[in-house]
Amino acid sequence: MHLEYSLQSSDKLDVCWLIAPLGIEMTSSELLSPGWRWWLLLMLLKLAVSYSGPAQAANGRGCSARGPASYVLVFTGHWSSRAFPKQYPIVRPPAQWSKLIAMTHNGQYHLWREGALASPGVRSFAERGVTADLGREGREARKRRAVGGMYRTAGVATATGHSSTELLLQPRYPQLSMMVKIVPSPDWFVGVDSVNLCEGDRWRQEVSFDLHPFDAGTDSGFTFSSPNYPSSPPENITQITSQKPSHPANSFYYPRLSELPPLATVRITRQSRMPARQTPLSNHILPQYISETPLDCEVSLWSSWGLCAGPCGSGSIRHRTRYILLRPANSGSPCPELEERADCSSHLCLSQQ
C-alpha cells in the first residue's frame, strides 16, 4: 500500500498543537520527514482507539470485562385466577402472554422507560403484540452503535407458563431490556428497563426480578377486554398498581392490597460456556402461583323504592333491590343483602289513593 501525504506549511501549527500535550518538540524539517508522517498517523490511530473506550453503563461507569458473557433468560408467568381473580380472562382469548422481545444495548438506548412516551414500536407491541416496528427501531439503533443484539421468544399460550432463550452480551453493550405483552389487554405489558449485567470488570452471575404491569399510555381501556380507545394525546408509560388507576372498573384494582403480587418473574443466569448457537425456545406449563388475592363482593346501588304492597295501614310494605357486580373469591368479603323492605308510612299510603 502506498500512502501519499503532503504537509503544507499552514498545517504545521495544527501538528504542533496536536503533539504539544505529548511533550514532544519537533523542528519544521523533522515534521516534513516521511518517517515522522507515519509516526504521526500511527499516534492519531491510537488516540482514536483509546477515545472509543468501553461502553458506558447505566451508572456512568464503563464495563471493562474481558470478553463477552453468555446468559440464559427465563420468563415465568404467575397470572393465575387465584392471584388475580378480578375479571380473569377465561375465553376470547384466555389469559396468556405474547412473544418476548429483548435487546442488549448501552446507555444511549432505551427500549422503554417509565415516565416517558412510548415509541411507535412500543405502541404497536403493547397494543397488538406486533414486533415489526420494534425490530425496525432496534436495527436503526444498531446502526448508531447503541444496540448490540435483538432476541425474541415464542408466546406463552397459558398465563402460568414460561419461555426461555440464550443471550450474548458484549462489554460495549452490557445492558438488557425486555417486554412481554399481557394478553388480552388494551396496552399493558411487563418488562425490565436497562438492567446492567456488568459490574466493573466482572459479569454478574444471576439477577432476577418480579414483574408488575405497566400501561403504555396509548390506549384508555380499564379492563382486560376493553375495546380499542386511543389515548389522545398519548400519556407517559406508568406502572399499574393495586390502587392506581383508582377506579373500580380497573382489572387490577384491589384496594385491600398494599401492592399487587408478582404478575410474572424473569431470571437471568450466566452460563459457564459460550453457546455454539442459540438454544431452541421452550414453553412449559408450570403449577399455579401459590399467592391468593382476596376479592371482595361488589354490588350495585339500590334501586328506587317500589310501590307499597297491600292495603294502606298495618302490614303494608315496600321493596328495593340491588344486584351483584362482582362475586367474591379467595375468602373475600361476602355479598350483602340484595333486597330491602320497609313499612309504608301513612303519608305514602295517602299518596297512592
Side-chain angles (χ1 to χ4, degrees), residues 133-335:
D133 291 338
L134 272 181
R136 189 177 304 110
E137 293 173 356
R139 288 189 293 273
E140 289 298 320
R142 181 185 288 174
K143 293 178 181 177
R144 304 192 306 269
R145 297 186 178 181
V147 166
M150 296 182 287
Y151 301 86
R152 188 176 66 180
T153 73
V156 183
T158 58
T160 54
H162 85 265
S163 64
S164 62
T165 188
E166 287 187 342
L167 309 169
L168 184 64
L169 278 90
Q170 302 284 349
R172 185 175 294 276
Y173 307 106
Q175 299 181 32
L176 175 71
S177 296
M178 54 148 288
M179 293 179 65
V180 184
K181 174 178 170 54
I182 301 169
V183 182
S185 74
D187 60 342
W188 302 341
F189 67 94
V190 297
V192 294
D193 170 32
S194 304
V195 55
N196 187 9
L197 295 175
C198 181
E199 293 181 334
D201 62 349
R202 297 179 182 274
W203 292 105
R204 301 170 70 176
Q205 291 300 315
E206 181 174 298
V207 293
S208 59
F209 300 93
D210 290 336
L211 304 182
H212 296 278
F214 281 87
D215 187 326
T218 61
D219 194 295
S220 299
F222 268 123
T223 67
F224 296 120
S225 57
S226 292
N228 183 34
Y229 187 73
S231 299
S232 183
E235 300 174 353
N236 292 334
I237 296 173
T238 56
Q239 184 175 343
I240 300 172
T241 70
S242 60
Q243 311 287 330
K244 182 181 177 181
S246 181
H247 194 290
N250 177 20
S251 293
F252 285 113
Y253 184 64
Y254 294 92
R256 285 180 53 178
L257 300 182
S258 59
E259 62 179 19
L260 292 173
L263 194 61
T265 56
V266 62
R267 187 176 71 252
I268 308 165
T269 307
R270 188 181 179 189
Q271 298 185 99
S272 58
R273 61 175 180 83
M274 297 298 292
R277 59 185 178 85
Q278 186 168 323
T279 300
L281 308 177
S282 63
N283 298 291
H284 303 284
I285 298 175
L286 300 178
Q288 285 193 332
Y289 195 60
I290 60 174
S291 173
E292 285 193 353
T293 300
L295 184 64
D296 297 336
C297 179
E298 294 182 11
V299 296
S300 67
L301 298 175
W302 286 109
S303 66
S304 300
W305 285 103
L307 299 176
C308 291
C312 284
S314 177
S316 181
I317 58 173
R318 56 183 180 153
H319 296 77
R320 66 175 181 175
T321 59
R322 57 186 173 184
Y323 58 90
I324 296 174
L325 296 173
L326 187 66
R327 295 190 177 278
N330 302 332
S331 302
S333 299
C335 295

